[in-house]
């Protein structure tokens, strides 16, 4: 089993790291939140005093961070991890960031002989806990194959989207659609309830009709319709509004760079921006329903 450095133990990173520990790998972990480190240490991982110390003897490095600036700050510069990771080692960068940032870090890694893939995930915190995530990979095929044994301990589906940064492009497209469909599902349910329908009955109808989608089947935004969904837990946990807003912003930025048209993506971004500005940024993104309820 390999010695793995895991950097970033948030809602997604912590359960991903736990699955690697359960698989028998030797994990050295680091996070800015001591409580997050303790959870992994209690499960059998070792704590490092810094990210630099974590990667010192690691064969594989995995990072899961909030945004582009955090990833660039971690890897680049005189004190960045790329100055501490030996040539030939493998890096799995699993954050959702701008494709340009992914390419920038991958190019810097290549210059130092470090093998790197961008491997953002889909599947939410539930998928992270269950080890059923989807990994969307950008980078060299040979590096993906080297990473596959580790990815398979954290997820069920692995797609090779293309060269460095391609994983991020595909993830951004997916999450833009997710934001659109969650807003649309919320609007439809709110319309039905405003006209006297039971949200559970309407959800069941949609789930078996042409409007069916991931939200109606697995992640219903109306409280009480699905016991396991964040909506039934006061929208706690899950995928935060501000994280969805970040991803919709990445989609808008990518559209500008490619001169592409994303009117529905821009509308969803504006809706989530309004929702966040009302103090809901830390709630699960399905709480967008509250914009439409009477």
């Amino acid at each position: 089993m390999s010695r793995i450095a895991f950097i970033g133990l948030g809602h997604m990173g912590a359960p991903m790291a736990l699955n690697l520990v359960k698989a028998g790998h030797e994990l050295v972990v680091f996070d800015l939140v001591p409580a997050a480190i303790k959870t992994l240490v209690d499960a059998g991982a070792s704590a490092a005093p810094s990210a630099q110390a974590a990667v010192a003897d690691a064969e594989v490095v995995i990072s899961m961070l909030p945004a582009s600036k955090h990833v660039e700050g971690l890897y680049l510069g005189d004190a960045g991890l790329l100055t501490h990771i030996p040539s030939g080692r493998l890096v799995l960068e699993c954050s959702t960031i701008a494709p340009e940032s992914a390419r920038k870090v991958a190019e810097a890694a290549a210059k130092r002989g470090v093998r790197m893939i961008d491997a953002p995930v889909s599947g939410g915190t539930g998928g992270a806990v269950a080890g059923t995530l989807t990994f969307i990979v950008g980078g060299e095929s040979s590096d993906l194959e080297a990473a596959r044994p580790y990815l398979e301990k954290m997820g069920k589906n692995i797609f090779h989207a293309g060269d460095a940064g391609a994983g991020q492009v595909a993830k951004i497209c997916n999450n833009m659609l997710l934001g659109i469909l969650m807003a649309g599902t919320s609007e439809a349910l709110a319309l039905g309830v405003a006209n006297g329908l039971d949200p559970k009955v309407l959800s069941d109808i949609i789930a078996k009709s042409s409007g069916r989608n991931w939200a109606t089947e697995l992640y219903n935004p109306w409280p009480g319709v699905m016991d396991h969904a964040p909506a039934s837990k006061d929208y706690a946990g899950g995928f935060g509004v501000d994280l969805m807003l970040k991803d919709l912003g990445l989609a808008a930025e990518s559209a500008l760079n490619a001169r592409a048209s994303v009117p529905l993506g821009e509308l969803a971004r504006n809706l989530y921006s309004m929702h966040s500005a009302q103090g809901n940024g830390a709630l699960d993104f399905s709480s967008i329903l509250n914009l439409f309820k009477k």
Side-chain angles (χ1 to χ4, degrees):
M1 290 295 173
S2 300
R3 181 178 175 87
I4 301 172
F6 204 111
I7 315 297
L9 304 171
H11 290 307
M12 296 294 292
M16 291 166 64
L18 282 169
N19 283 330
L20 290 169
V21 172
K22 292 175 184 177
H25 290 292
E26 180 185 355
L27 241 68
V28 182
V29 299
F30 177 74
D31 192 275
L32 296 176
V33 180
I37 295 176
K38 185 179 184 302
T39 299
L40 266 296
V41 170
D42 290 345
S46 300
S50 67
Q52 290 79 3
V55 306
D57 298 313
E59 300 165 66
V60 178
V61 177
I62 303 175
S63 53
M64 186 57 142
L65 303 176
S68 299
K69 64 181 181 180
H70 304 108
V71 174
E72 291 191 28
L74 177 68
Y75 286 102
L76 304 179
D78 293 339
L81 287 194
L82 291 179
T83 64
H84 296 266
I85 300 172
S87 175
R89 299 295 166 84
L90 180 65
V91 176
L92 286 59
E93 213 305 291
C94 296
S95 317
T96 296
I97 59 176
E100 293 77 16
S101 290
R103 295 185 188 108
K104 181 179 180 180
V105 176
E107 288 171 5
K111 289 179 180 178
R112 292 185 172 273
V114 175
R115 308 166 69 188
M116 176 178 278
I117 61 171
D118 51 285
V121 304
S122 179
T125 53
V129 172
T132 59
L133 292 171
T134 293
F135 286 92
I136 309 165
V137 178
E140 296 290 337
S141 297
S142 57
D143 294 340
L144 167 56
E145 292 311 309
R148 191 177 293 275
Y150 311 106
L151 298 177
E152 288 177 342
K153 298 300 184 294
M154 300 181 286
K156 271 194 171 182
N157 305 296
I158 302 169
F159 294 98
H160 189 197
D163 295 335
Q168 300 296 344
V169 174
K171 174 63 188 295
I172 288 168
C173 292
N174 178 79
N175 276 26
M176 182 183 74
L177 179 58
L178 176 61
I180 293 168
L181 71 84
M182 183 59 78
T185 298
S186 296
E187 185 175 12
L189 291 177
L191 174 63
V193 171
N195 281 280
L197 296 184
D198 183 302
K200 174 67 166 63
V201 173
L202 178 56
S203 295
D204 289 344
I205 292 169
I206 294 173
K208 298 299 182 183
S209 304
S210 56
R212 62 185 297 188
N213 62 67
W214 182 81
T216 56
E217 293 180 6
L218 300 173
Y219 212 89
N220 198 289
W222 200 280
V225 173
M226 292 181 176
D227 291 340
H228 66 274
S232 297
K233 303 172 185 177
D234 295 323
Y235 298 105
F239 185 58
V241 167
D242 282 347
L243 288 176
M244 173 54 77
L245 182 57
K246 180 205 77 170
D247 289 357
L248 290 168
L250 290 174
E253 181 182 329
S254 181
L256 284 172
N257 291 337
R259 298 179 65 84
S261 178
V262 288
L264 292 179
E266 284 283 16
L267 176 58
R269 186 182 68 81
N270 286 330
L271 291 172
Y272 276 96
S273 181
M274 290 168 54
H275 190 46
S276 176
Q278 293 172 1
N280 302 302
L283 298 181
D284 182 76
F285 82 110
S286 61
S287 64
I288 194 73
L289 173 86
N290 291 327
L291 274 182
F292 304 105
K293 289 175 70 174
K294 289 183 65 176

